[in-house]
PDB file of all heavy atoms in Angstrom:
ATOM      1  N   CYS A1185      95.059 119.163 109.876  1.00  0.00           N
ATOM      2  CA  CYS A1185      95.151 118.621 111.220  1.00  0.00           C
ATOM      3  C   CYS A1185      94.170 119.316 112.144  1.00  0.00           C
ATOM      4  O   CYS A1185      93.990 120.522 112.084  1.00  0.00           O
ATOM      5  CB  CYS A1185      96.567 118.794 111.768  1.00  0.00           C
ATOM      6  SG  CYS A1185      97.772 117.895 110.811  1.00  0.00           S
ATOM      7  N   LEU A1187      93.652 120.879 115.246  1.00  0.00           N
ATOM      8  CA  LEU A1187      94.418 121.485 116.315  1.00  0.00           C
ATOM      9  C   LEU A1187      93.436 122.103 117.295  1.00  0.00           C
ATOM     10  O   LEU A1187      92.674 122.992 116.935  1.00  0.00           O
ATOM     11  CB  LEU A1187      95.361 122.538 115.747  1.00  0.00           C
ATOM     12  CG  LEU A1187      96.377 123.153 116.685  1.00  0.00           C
ATOM     13  CD1 LEU A1187      97.325 122.081 117.220  1.00  0.00           C
ATOM     14  CD2 LEU A1187      97.179 124.197 115.934  1.00  0.00           C
ATOM     15  N   SER A1191      93.134 124.372 126.894  1.00  0.00           N
ATOM     16  CA  SER A1191      92.258 124.916 127.939  1.00  0.00           C
ATOM     17  C   SER A1191      93.066 125.725 128.951  1.00  0.00           C
ATOM     18  O   SER A1191      92.539 126.612 129.609  1.00  0.00           O
ATOM     19  CB  SER A1191      91.495 123.794 128.645  1.00  0.00           C
ATOM     20  OG  SER A1191      92.412 122.858 129.187  1.00  0.00           O
ATOM     21  N   ILE A1206      99.549 134.282 115.988  1.00  0.00           N
ATOM     22  CA  ILE A1206      99.375 133.390 114.839  1.00  0.00           C
ATOM     23  C   ILE A1206      97.970 132.810 114.960  1.00  0.00           C
ATOM     24  O   ILE A1206      97.619 132.258 116.004  1.00  0.00           O
ATOM     25  CB  ILE A1206     100.392 132.227 114.848  1.00  0.00           C
ATOM     26  CG1 ILE A1206     101.825 132.745 114.857  1.00  0.00           C
ATOM     27  CG2 ILE A1206     100.156 131.289 113.669  1.00  0.00           C
ATOM     28  CD1 ILE A1206     102.864 131.649 115.052  1.00  0.00           C
ATOM     29  N   MET A1213      97.452 125.357 108.066  1.00  0.00           N
ATOM     30  CA  MET A1213      97.907 125.269 106.680  1.00  0.00           C
ATOM     31  C   MET A1213      99.416 125.030 106.589  1.00  0.00           C
ATOM     32  O   MET A1213      99.925 124.719 105.524  1.00  0.00           O
ATOM     33  CB  MET A1213      97.530 126.546 105.910  1.00  0.00           C
ATOM     34  CG  MET A1213      96.028 126.763 105.808  1.00  0.00           C
ATOM     35  SD  MET A1213      95.130 125.351 105.124  1.00  0.00           S
ATOM     36  CE  MET A1213      95.751 125.340 103.474  1.00  0.00           C
ATOM     37  N   GLY A1216     101.834 119.454 107.540  1.00  0.00           N
ATOM     38  CA  GLY A1216     101.657 118.336 106.624  1.00  0.00           C
ATOM     39  C   GLY A1216     101.633 117.061 107.438  1.00  0.00           C
ATOM     40  O   GLY A1216     102.359 116.940 108.423  1.00  0.00           O
ATOM     41  N   SER A1226      91.287 109.435  93.415  1.00  0.00           N
ATOM     42  CA  SER A1226      91.653 108.995  92.072  1.00  0.00           C
ATOM     43  C   SER A1226      92.186 110.196  91.304  1.00  0.00           C
ATOM     44  O   SER A1226      91.887 111.342  91.641  1.00  0.00           O
ATOM     45  CB  SER A1226      90.434 108.397  91.364  1.00  0.00           C
ATOM     46  OG  SER A1226      89.411 109.368  91.268  1.00  0.00           O
ATOM     47  N   ALA A1256     110.583 111.664  97.885  1.00  0.00           N
ATOM     48  CA  ALA A1256     109.848 110.569  98.520  1.00  0.00           C
ATOM     49  C   ALA A1256     110.233 109.200  97.958  1.00  0.00           C
ATOM     50  O   ALA A1256     109.612 108.191  98.309  1.00  0.00           O
ATOM     51  CB  ALA A1256     108.344 110.800  98.356  1.00  0.00           C
ATOM     52  N   SER A1279      95.876 100.035  92.425  1.00  0.00           N
ATOM     53  CA  SER A1279      96.914  99.361  91.635  1.00  0.00           C
ATOM     54  C   SER A1279      98.311  99.518  92.242  1.00  0.00           C
ATOM     55  O   SER A1279      99.286  99.050  91.665  1.00  0.00           O
ATOM     56  CB  SER A1279      96.904  99.908  90.207  1.00  0.00           C
ATOM     57  OG  SER A1279      97.171 101.298  90.215  1.00  0.00           O
ATOM     58  N   GLY A1282     101.133  99.285  99.345  1.00  0.00           N
ATOM     59  CA  GLY A1282     101.006 100.171 100.505  1.00  0.00           C
ATOM     60  C   GLY A1282     102.166 101.149 100.616  1.00  0.00           C
ATOM     61  O   GLY A1282     101.987 102.326 100.900  1.00  0.00           O
ATOM     62  N   ALA A1291     105.209 112.610  99.145  1.00  0.00           N
ATOM     63  CA  ALA A1291     105.504 113.589  98.095  1.00  0.00           C
ATOM     64  C   ALA A1291     104.485 114.721  98.136  1.00  0.00           C
ATOM     65  O   ALA A1291     104.845 115.902  98.043  1.00  0.00           O
ATOM     66  CB  ALA A1291     105.510 112.920  96.722  1.00  0.00           C
ATOM     67  N   SER A1306     104.555 106.436 108.618  1.00  0.00           N
ATOM     68  CA  SER A1306     104.371 106.722 107.194  1.00  0.00           C
ATOM     69  C   SER A1306     105.313 105.983 106.260  1.00  0.00           C
ATOM     70  O   SER A1306     105.144 106.026 105.047  1.00  0.00           O
ATOM     71  CB  SER A1306     104.516 108.216 106.951  1.00  0.00           C
ATOM     72  OG  SER A1306     105.814 108.620 107.301  1.00  0.00           O
ATOM     73  N   THR A1307     106.299 105.291 106.804  1.00  0.00           N
ATOM     74  CA  THR A1307     107.208 104.509 105.959  1.00  0.00           C
ATOM     75  C   THR A1307     107.184 103.033 106.350  1.00  0.00           C
ATOM     76  O   THR A1307     108.109 102.290 106.016  1.00  0.00           O
ATOM     77  CB  THR A1307     108.651 105.054 106.038  1.00  0.00           C
ATOM     78  OG1 THR A1307     109.060 105.114 107.408  1.00  0.00           O
ATOM     79  CG2 THR A1307     108.763 106.429 105.403  1.00  0.00           C
ATOM     80  N   GLU A1315     113.474 103.664 103.211  1.00  0.00           N
ATOM     81  CA  GLU A1315     113.102 104.486 104.365  1.00  0.00           C
ATOM     82  C   GLU A1315     114.234 105.445 104.724  1.00  0.00           C
ATOM     83  O   GLU A1315     114.022 106.642 104.943  1.00  0.00           O
ATOM     84  CB  GLU A1315     112.777 103.571 105.545  1.00  0.00           C
ATOM     85  CG  GLU A1315     112.360 104.289 106.795  1.00  0.00           C
ATOM     86  CD  GLU A1315     112.011 103.307 107.901  1.00  0.00           C
ATOM     87  OE1 GLU A1315     112.820 102.393 108.197  1.00  0.00           O
ATOM     88  OE2 GLU A1315     110.926 103.461 108.485  1.00  0.00           O
ATOM     89  N   LEU A1339     114.802 104.241 111.739  1.00  0.00           N
ATOM     90  CA  LEU A1339     114.542 105.659 111.953  1.00  0.00           C
ATOM     91  C   LEU A1339     115.222 106.172 113.201  1.00  0.00           C
ATOM     92  O   LEU A1339     115.727 107.287 113.223  1.00  0.00           O
ATOM     93  CB  LEU A1339     113.043 105.937 112.035  1.00  0.00           C
ATOM     94  CG  LEU A1339     112.292 105.942 110.726  1.00  0.00           C
ATOM     95  CD1 LEU A1339     110.855 106.373 110.942  1.00  0.00           C
ATOM     96  CD2 LEU A1339     112.957 106.826 109.713  1.00  0.00           C
TER      97      LEU A1339
END
Side-chain angles (χ1 to χ4, degrees):
C1185 297
L1187 188 62
S1191 57
I1206 302 172
M1213 297 306 294
S1226 60
S1279 61
S1306 62
T1307 54
E1315 181 178 51
L1339 283 186

